[in-house]
Structure formats: C-alpha cells, structure tokens
Amino acid sequence: MQNLLHNLNEEQLAAVTLPPQSALILAGAGSGKTRVLTTRIAWLIQTGQVSPSGILAVTFTNKAAKEMLTRLSAMLPINTRGMWIGTFHGLCNRLLRTHHRDAALPQTFQILDTQDQLSAIKRLIKAHNVDDEKFPPKEVMYFINGAKDQGLRADKIDAYNADERKKVELYQLYDEQCQREGVVDFAELLLRSYELLSRNQPLREHYQQRFRHILVDEFQDTNDLQYKWLKLLAGVPGQHGSALFAVGDDDQSIYAFRGANVGNMSAFEREFQVKNLIKLEQNYRSHGHILDAANQLISNNSKRLGKNLRTDAGQGEPVRVYEASSDLAEAQWIVEETKNLIADGAERREIAVLYRSNAQSRVIEHALFSAGIPYHVYGGLRYFQRAEVKHAIAYLQLMDNPHNDSAFLRVVNFPTRGIGLRSIEALQAAADQYGISLYAAVPHVAGKAGSSLAGFVRLIEGARFETQQMALPELVRVVLEHSGLLTHYQTEKEGADRIENLEQMVSAATQFVSEEGYGQGAPAHLGPAAQAQSGAAVINQDGIEILDADAPLPAVMSPLSAFLSHASLEAGDNQATVGQDAVQMMTVHSAKGLEFNNVFITGLEEGLFPHESSSREHDGVEEERRLMYVAITRARQRLYMCFAQTRMLHGQTRYNMKSRFFDELPEESLKWLSAKVQSHWFASPKSAWDAAPVLGSDNAIAQKIAHKSAGSGWRIGESVQHAKFGEGVIVNIEGSGPSARAQINFGNVGMKVLDLSIAKLERI
DNA sequence: GCTCTGGTAGTTTTT
DNA sequence: CTACCAGAGC
C-alpha cells in the first residue's frame, strides 16, 4: 500500500484517501486526474473498505475506460473482474441486457448509432407524410435527443405552439417505432435504464447496496440525465447512500452544445452536501509561461469554481505569436516552424496543430503535404461507420433481430437483387396494415415482388441456420460471402479498400471474442440462458429470480449480440496510419485529454476563435474561452499561436481581427514573432512584394488589395481605432479621394460603412 | 438501378 | 470553395 500512495503529492494523497463520503475533486489540466481516480479505487480495495464488485466507475469514452482498467490492473494483483468500469452507455447496455424483460426490451435489442437514428427519423417523417422542409429530420433528431438527455419522455414535454406539438408527436411516434423494431438510440440506453431503476424498487436497491463507491470521470461533461442516473444509483446521501466521487474541471467544460451541464458540479456539491472538495492545482505537464497564459486567460470567466495551476518546472519558453498575412501564409509558417522543430530533434508525433473547426485543416494539410511532412488528421469516418462495414453489420443485425427495419432497408436490395421501390412500398403497406416489421410482412406480399422478397428472407434464414454452431469470426466470414457483399465489391473498380475493410471484420470479430472472454469456439448465436450460471441472484418485482448484471459478458449476451453492441458503442479507429510518426492535426475539442511537447493553436481570429456563433449563445464566449484554455494546456514545452489577416472561408475572403483572447494573455509570457503593427506589408504595393512571407498567392492577394486601396490612404486588412466603435478591420473600400467609404468590421459592434473623409480613424 | 446535376449549407463530438 | 443530398434522367 505504501507503494500505492508513494508518489502522490499532498493534494492527490488527500483525494485518494478521503473517507467514504461524497467528494468533488477539482482536477486541473495535467494534474494527475486519472491517477487519482485509479489509485483511489486501488486504495479502497487494498485497504479492504470495499470489494471489487462494490466499485462502479464511469467515463465518457471507451478510451478513458480502457486506460483506467489498464492502470488498475497494473496497480492491483487481483483481476479487475467484478468491477463495473465503463462508459455510461456501455454500463447501461449491460443493465438493459440483463434486465431486458423488466426494461420491456427484446433480449437482442440493437443500438442505433447517430446515422441509423437519423435514417430512422427520415423514414418516420416520410411514413407520416410530414413536411420535411418544415421539420428537417436533423432538427427533429436534436429535439428528441435533447429531450431524452434531460430525462423527458414525449408525454412530459410542454409544447407551446403547433410546431412544438408536432415535434412532440414525432418524438412519441419515433419511440413507438423503435419499440416495434427492437432498437434503442444512445440517449435511450440512458433513459431506459434510468426508468428501469426508478420504477423497479428491488432492482434499484440491489444495485444501490452493491455499489458502495461510484466514481465519475469528467464530471463537468455530464448531462442532466446522466446526473439523475448517478443520483439514482448512489441513493440518498447519509442514508445508506453510496459514496459518489466526482472528478472534473469546470474550466474544461466544452460540451454544452451536446447537453453537458457544468451546473451539475455545483448542484452535486449542494445536493450531496459535499464536505470534501479538493483542488488538484499542481500541474505536471506545462512550463510556467504556458500555465501563466492559461491561468490569466481563464480568469476572465465569471462562472468558475476557482482554481489556479502551478508548476515546479521553470518558466520555460514564452508563447510564440505570429501574425500571418493570409491563411496560406499561416500554413506556410507552421510548416517552416515544424521543419525547425524536427531539425532540432523533435518527434513529429510530439507536434500538434490545433484548430477550432475542421474546415481549417485543408490549407494546413496541403502545406504539410507539399513540404513532404507526414501528418495525421484526427476525426473522420470510424471503422464501423464505413458504408461497406455498416452493410455487413446490417446483415448480422437481421440475423439477430429481423425486426430492425433500418437494417432491413439498408441491405434488402444491396447488393441489388431486383427489389425496387415498388416492392418496398407494397411491403411497407402490408407491414403498416398488420402493425408488424417489414421482415415479418414479407409473406403478406403477393406476386413477383413477394417472391424476390421471400428470396431475401430465405437468404437471412439460411445464413442463420447454417451458422448455428459456428463461432463468431466464422459466422462473419460466412455472412460476408453469403450476402454477396464481397462479390459485389470485387466487381467494383474502386472496391479494393472496401474489401479490405470487410475482411478486417473477421479479425475484428476474432479479437473481440478473445478480449471479451468468450470461448474461442463459443457458438455465436448461443444465448445467455444456456451459459448463465454465475452471478448473484436478485428478485424482481414479480418475485422472479433474475441475474445480477455482474456476470461476465457471455452470461448476459450471445457473442453475436455483444459484437453488434460493440460495433455501435465503440466505432473503432478512424485511420490505419496510427503507428507512424506524424504531425498530429485535430480540432481543439478532440485534443482534450491529450498532451504534446509542441503545440500550434491556429486561426486565432474573431469569428473563428471565438467562433462567431458563440456570441449568440448564452455564455457562448465563456465556453470558447474554456476551449482556448484547453488548447493552451495541451502544450508541455513550446506553444505557438497564430492568426491570419485574410482567410478564405466558404469561397469568400474574410478579414478578421485578431482574437480577443490575445488581450487576455499576460504580455510578458508572449513573444511576437511578427511585427505587432498590423498590415505592415500592405503599406505599399512594393513592400508587399518583399515583406509577405513566401507563397506566391499572397502576393496576388496583396496586389489586388493594394490596387483596390489606391488613393484612399487606407488599405483593406488594416486595423483601425474608432472613437465610438472601438477596434475594427477594414474589409472593403469603395470609391476614391474625398468620397471614399470604407466597410469596417468592428467585431462585436458589427459591420459599419464609414465615410473616410469624415470618420476619425486611427491606425493601430 | 445507377449516374449526373443542381441546389444548398457550411462549429465543436462521443456514445 | 466543396461536400453532400435529393431528384431527374438514361
């Protein structure tokens, strides 16, 4: 045990060894948050305060859950089985599988990912003849998910106008459709298990008594429903309730747009009468100047729990700031600095280029590519989201649950087998008439359409029969061939990659089976009933003995069902180029949780970062500031910030002011690499030639702009100061001489057109 | 049933 | 500017 606590600092030690009561750990960036979380669990078990099965630890991402598990098994000699460690969705999936009867779900219910959900909603809207112009499927989806994330069913929503009422009605219809098909979306996993536990007292009490310690990672990212779910499981504090150990950082709350509610932190503190609030402020990641910048910036936010990072590392290097003439010049500068870093011995994987929105990556990618520097862009399609993989999954889904209409429609005619729109319409009509699934309605369709549909059903039934005794990987292989997918892509000229992805599914299944503790040869279809033996018994409301969802996966789900859950809940990696040493490019959002020796924060311009849409949202700029805080704290040693005077966006050249965040950073921690005076290179057409850093197209832009400004004395792109409107950037100039007028972007104040001979402008 | 074209929209993301 | 989608046309 000495060993366990041995390298902790005072704050960390205090957090790890807190008494078994609710606690809130304010963990700053790079303060050893995961370490505290895992050591806490290990310490609780090692000191005999709780058995592994009394632990529930929940995260948002699979990555974080895995990381925790790995670290724990390194710390503890015992195996981690019996502990519940996973994502909210993963744990809910497990609960619902085990208690599917009580949750009113089929044992083989399937999970819709976002794509599936959207297509299900499109289908619903069509089926009910709803105008999709007035009710765009995406909007309906946000509405439904938003409601579910707050824990609201359709009948609990107050609608104040006809449009709202229509959406509520669609929500209701959508839920009914899902229920009919035996599918649940991501939010439903949470809501359904919440309802299961709140409705079923014995079950709730069983889990409440079991999980003495509930630990939550990234608590600031929880939405209302997740918090309610946690409260339900924890029980009433003080009255046999379990100890809720919440770790989070309000300054890194950047997911309000998807329902996260930072307010949960203070709500938790209040509702659980938290006496144990510990701040982890010792930072082990960044040098002083970087932390100074982060601290100063975030101090501009008003709603904070309060926290200041400190480090024992020295001040290190100042933050390097660069003003580029254009987005291309900015990219070129990044390339030059990257080359320098690499020349000085930096690893490429230790260089990160961060941007606010994905659209910004193109120019930078292009520049890196031209310079021959390997790079890796985060994001993009994940393995299980690729079209060909989704097709294969749809076949598997139909074998496990044929009433999944989404899966049915996806592959009933792919590869093509002569089942066109007319056949589907006839089938849909039959399904509607009897209130059954498309699959079940096939026998009710007569004629030619009926026989080709019947052929499809035979294909699925045949595959199921043939694979009855097969292990999962073998089953996958058979389905790939049986379905005709492999043949289909073999005849397609661009199909090589797709075939490779399909083949990869067999190895994915092999890996899955061995990792999840299924016997290598366990029949993929074999249901849990045959395998379930272990696990504590608990009595449900009807007095029937049921299984505790504590049992290993094989006791809860068949290998096939489990694999399908896995495909939905863990979409896999996005690109194959993981291993190579490459510059890392990503949005600031996806950089959260990562760290690099060298970081570029790019596009620091008003409108981009902070993003223009943020000024419209409630507390939007504060969220953008937290985002900036996250960006800064990714850097260990060297941090670059840059922005461009002109930028191509949506096919138009935009002229933005530098980000307001520059004004919120300590001057002494910054080192301006470019002259701080703006538009120096616009001064005359001549100087534009030699002052503009490299790229030819810059000169082209410079020339154009220089031309346009002729005679007015002012130039496009120039920053100006106005007595009333404050700081602005000249966006356009019309006319010349005394009648010249300039269009000026004053940021928050807005766009103004000013008469240059009248307005009193100053250069800044 | 597939390809072409025109229209449109265009932060951030995990499950 | 470009990527995606829907509907028309072959």
Side-chain angles (χ1 to χ4, degrees):
Chain A
M1 170 163 74
Q2 214 45 44
N3 237 346
L4 212 55
L5 307 176
H6 159 233
N7 269 323
L8 301 175
N9 69 31
E10 218 171 291
E11 299 161 343
Q12 292 172 332
L13 182 70
V16 165
T17 58
L18 279 175
Q21 302 158 354
S22 42
L24 180 58
I25 313 301
L26 267 183
S31 65
K33 170 197 73 161
T34 312
R35 184 151 193 232
V36 165
L37 214 38
T38 46
T39 315
R40 165 81 173 171
I41 296 173
W43 178 78
L44 286 170
I45 292 173
Q46 213 169 64
T47 52
Q49 298 183 63
V50 67
S51 74
S53 64
I55 297 283
L56 177 81
V58 58
T59 64
F60 279 87
T61 65
N62 293 297
K63 199 176 156 207
K66 255 186 213 141
E67 166 84 11
M68 229 156 128
L69 219 48
T70 314
R71 290 215 209 176
L72 259 175
S73 14
M75 266 183 237
L76 286 175
I78 62 154
N79 75 19
T80 46
R81 233 200 260 148
M83 275 189 253
W84 271 38
I85 298 183
T87 62
F88 278 103
H89 296 86
L91 298 177
C92 287
N93 181 40
R94 189 167 252 237
L95 267 172
L96 293 178
R97 295 282 169 191
T98 314
H99 309 295
H100 68 272
R101 222 179 289 264
D102 293 288
L105 284 171
Q107 186 159 42
T108 56
F109 74 82
Q110 289 167 355
I111 301 164
L112 302 181
D113 66 19
T114 314
Q115 285 176 40
D116 302 332
Q117 188 187 17
L118 186 63
S119 62
I121 290 171
K122 281 183 183 166
R123 198 148 47 77
L124 181 86
I125 285 177
K126 276 224 178 74
H128 290 88
N129 291 318
V130 174
D131 180 6
D132 62 356
E133 302 265 286
K134 208 167 168 214
F135 300 97
K138 272 225 176 80
E139 231 166 76
V140 175
M141 182 166 86
Y142 293 148
F143 177 81
I144 293 173
N145 290 342
K148 288 192 181 184
D149 284 344
Q150 290 173 63
L152 293 173
R153 287 289 177 198
D155 59 358
K156 289 283 174 332
I157 300 174
D158 297 318
Y160 295 103
N161 57 51
D163 282 11
E164 287 274 297
R165 269 192 294 281
K166 191 76 197 169
K167 283 191 205 167
V168 172
E169 188 193 328
L170 285 169
Y171 178 9
Q172 181 66 41
L173 290 167
Y174 167 77
D175 267 0
E176 286 164 12
Q177 175 180 293
C178 288
Q179 187 64 28
R180 243 190 346 264
E181 298 183 17
V183 297
V184 299
D185 57 55
F186 287 133
E188 182 73 20
L189 283 172
L190 262 299
L191 184 49
R192 195 62 86 98
S193 57
Y194 173 78
E195 288 169 346
L196 167 72
L197 292 176
S198 58
R199 182 173 359 99
N200 193 327
Q201 191 191 345
L203 205 58
R204 178 175 68 247
E205 285 177 352
H206 169 74
Y207 284 111
Q208 282 175 343
Q209 278 155 27
R210 173 180 167 172
F211 298 121
R212 301 315 304 149
H213 288 270
I214 299 175
L215 303 96
V216 195
D217 190 20
E218 306 277 20
F219 190 78
Q220 78 283 351
D221 288 339
T222 52
N223 63 33
D224 292 347
L225 178 56
Q226 285 158 341
Y227 181 44
K228 281 170 77 170
W229 188 89
L230 288 167
K231 281 197 277 190
L232 194 61
L233 268 177
V236 185
Q239 294 179 286
H240 315 292
S242 45
L244 189 44
F245 189 87
V247 182
D249 182 358
D250 55 325
D251 291 335
Q252 291 190 71
S253 161
I254 57 174
Y255 285 115
F257 70 91
R258 65 176 196 208
N261 179 7
V262 215
N264 286 345
M265 293 187 88
S266 41
F268 170 61
E269 199 183 348
R270 187 178 62 248
E271 293 173 3
F272 282 74
Q273 293 115 46
V274 172
K275 289 181 199 77
N276 309 302
L277 188 143
I278 292 182
K279 295 180 185 180
L280 305 180
E281 296 176 298
Q282 178 76 31
N283 174 288
Y284 295 98
R285 180 183 295 159
S286 311
H287 283 160
H289 279 308
I290 294 170
L291 284 193
D292 289 349
N295 282 331
Q296 174 106 28
L297 176 96
I298 203 65
S299 71
N300 287 282
N301 270 3
S302 56
K303 291 174 192 153
R304 295 183 65 211
L305 296 175
K307 190 165 43 48
N308 216 39
L309 295 177
R310 53 169 193 276
T311 180
D312 288 340
Q315 279 303 88
E317 301 172 8
V319 179
R320 290 151 207 247
V321 183
Y322 184 74
E323 171 176 19
S325 54
S326 67
D327 48 350
L328 285 108
E330 181 191 42
Q332 196 55 44
W333 173 76
I334 293 167
V335 165
E336 294 308 321
E337 290 296 336
T338 300
K339 280 185 188 162
N340 291 340
L341 284 168
I342 294 170
D344 289 346
E347 280 184 292
R348 284 190 287 263
R349 66 167 63 88
E350 282 299 337
I351 302 171
V353 180
L354 311 184
Y355 34 83
R356 173 66 241 266
S357 60
N358 288 302
Q360 289 166 250
S361 75
R362 294 183 68 93
V363 215
I364 302 168
E365 272 184 80
H366 184 77
L368 285 168
F369 186 83
S370 305
I373 301 171
Y375 62 87
H376 178 244
V377 185
Y378 274 60
L381 266 198
R382 318 263 229 106
Y383 175 73
F384 282 111
Q385 297 180 24
R386 287 156 205 247
E388 65 277 17
V389 179
K390 291 222 77 166
H391 283 130
I393 291 284
Y395 280 98
L396 297 175
Q397 285 177 322
L398 283 180
M399 288 166 69
D400 208 31
N401 166 21
H403 305 302
N404 181 339
D405 284 355
S406 291
F408 184 94
L409 288 168
R410 180 181 271 275
V411 292
V412 65
N413 198 33
F414 191 93
T416 47
R417 40 180 77 90
I419 299 171
L421 212 65
R422 292 165 303 282
S423 309
I424 296 302
E425 272 167 9
L427 180 63
Q428 187 68 63
D432 290 345
Q433 187 189 338
Y434 296 102
I436 53 179
S437 69
L438 295 172
Y439 193 92
V442 166
H444 298 290
V445 178
K448 213 164 144 197
S451 64
S452 39
L453 282 165
F456 177 68
V457 168
R458 275 200 304 279
L459 170 72
I460 301 296
E461 299 289 336
R464 185 163 37 197
F465 181 75
E466 199 178 317
T467 58
Q468 225 161 21
Q469 294 305 317
M470 285 184 190
L472 184 68
E474 210 182 332
L475 176 144
V476 171
R477 151 114 355 245
V478 167
V479 169
L480 290 181
E481 278 158 14
H482 237 79
S483 62
L485 284 175
L486 283 176
T487 328
H488 172 84
Y489 288 116
Q490 267 153 17
T491 54
E492 204 177 61
K493 50 185 187 299
E494 309 263 321
D497 283 352
R498 295 185 185 272
I499 288 179
E500 200 179 309
N501 285 331
L502 287 176
E503 303 273 3
Q504 225 183 304
M505 230 167 110
V506 180
S507 30
T510 310
Q511 193 187 343
F512 176 78
V513 163
S514 71
E515 272 177 18
E516 296 303 327
Y518 287 97
Q520 274 302 329
H525 288 294
L526 196 54
Q531 305 188 13
Q533 261 138 36
S534 61
V538 56
I539 309 295
N540 78 0
Q541 252 159 355
D542 308 321
I544 301 165
E545 196 181 53
I546 51 162
L547 193 72
D548 186 320
D550 150 52
L553 214 54
V556 187
M557 280 177 264
S558 76
L560 180 56
S561 300
F563 185 62
L564 291 172
S565 297
H566 169 80
S568 301
L569 292 177
E570 202 166 343
D573 294 326
N574 61 60
Q575 273 172 43
T577 52
V578 269
Q580 72 159 318
D581 186 26
V583 171
Q584 307 289 302
M585 296 180 58
M586 65 194 84
T587 62
V588 181
H589 280 93
S590 33
K592 190 173 157 216
L594 305 178
E595 51 184 300
F596 307 91
N597 288 339
N598 312 284
V599 170
F600 290 88
I601 308 174
T602 69
L604 280 164
E605 294 141 41
E606 282 296 300
L608 250 195
F609 200 179
H611 198 274
E612 56 196 348
S613 53
S614 70
S615 57
R616 275 174 252 131
E617 283 154 31
H618 185 58
D619 287 339
V621 176
E622 296 224 343
E623 174 121 337
E624 294 287 305
R625 193 175 282 112
R626 292 192 289 268
L627 197 52
M628 180 67 181
Y629 176 78
V630 167
I632 293 173
T633 52
R634 297 310 96 194
R636 295 197 193 98
Q637 292 150 19
R638 190 176 281 198
L639 179 60
Y640 297 93
M641 296 179 184
C642 51
F643 61 103
Q645 291 173 338
T646 72
R647 180 177 297 275
M648 229 11 191
L649 199 66
H650 306 326
Q652 277 186 320
T653 308
R654 308 198 354 168
Y655 308 87
N656 297 317
M657 284 190 286
K658 69 175 195 293
S659 173
R660 73 189 68 183
F661 296 146
F662 281 113
D663 305 331
E664 303 175 1
L665 299 174
E667 198 60 43
E668 60 276 16
S669 290
L670 304 185
K671 181 179 170 190
W672 287 77
L673 300 180
S674 44
K676 206 182 162 187
V677 183
Q678 278 83 10
S679 62
H680 56 281
W681 64 276
F682 292 109
S684 73
K686 199 180 157 209
S687 78
W689 242 254
D690 39 48
V694 283
L695 287 187
S697 45
D698 275 325
N699 291 337
I701 294 171
Q703 206 175 6
K704 224 183 273 171
I705 293 169
H707 175 71
K708 194 143 193 200
S709 68
S712 68
W714 296 93
R715 278 149 201 98
I716 291 175
E718 205 161 10
S719 294
V720 295
Q721 179 78 37
H722 185 271
K724 195 161 144 204
F725 304 133
E727 254 182 74
V729 170
I730 299 182
V731 167
N732 202 3
I733 297 175
E734 291 153 5
S736 58
S739 67
R741 302 196 317 156
Q743 190 183 4
I744 302 176
N745 179 2
F746 286 103
N748 271 353
V749 186
M751 200 71 85
K752 305 280 175 196
V753 178
L754 301 177
D755 211 311
L756 281 171
S757 57
I758 298 171
K760 288 191 186 93
L761 293 175
E762 276 178 52
R763 287 196 171 78
I764 48 170

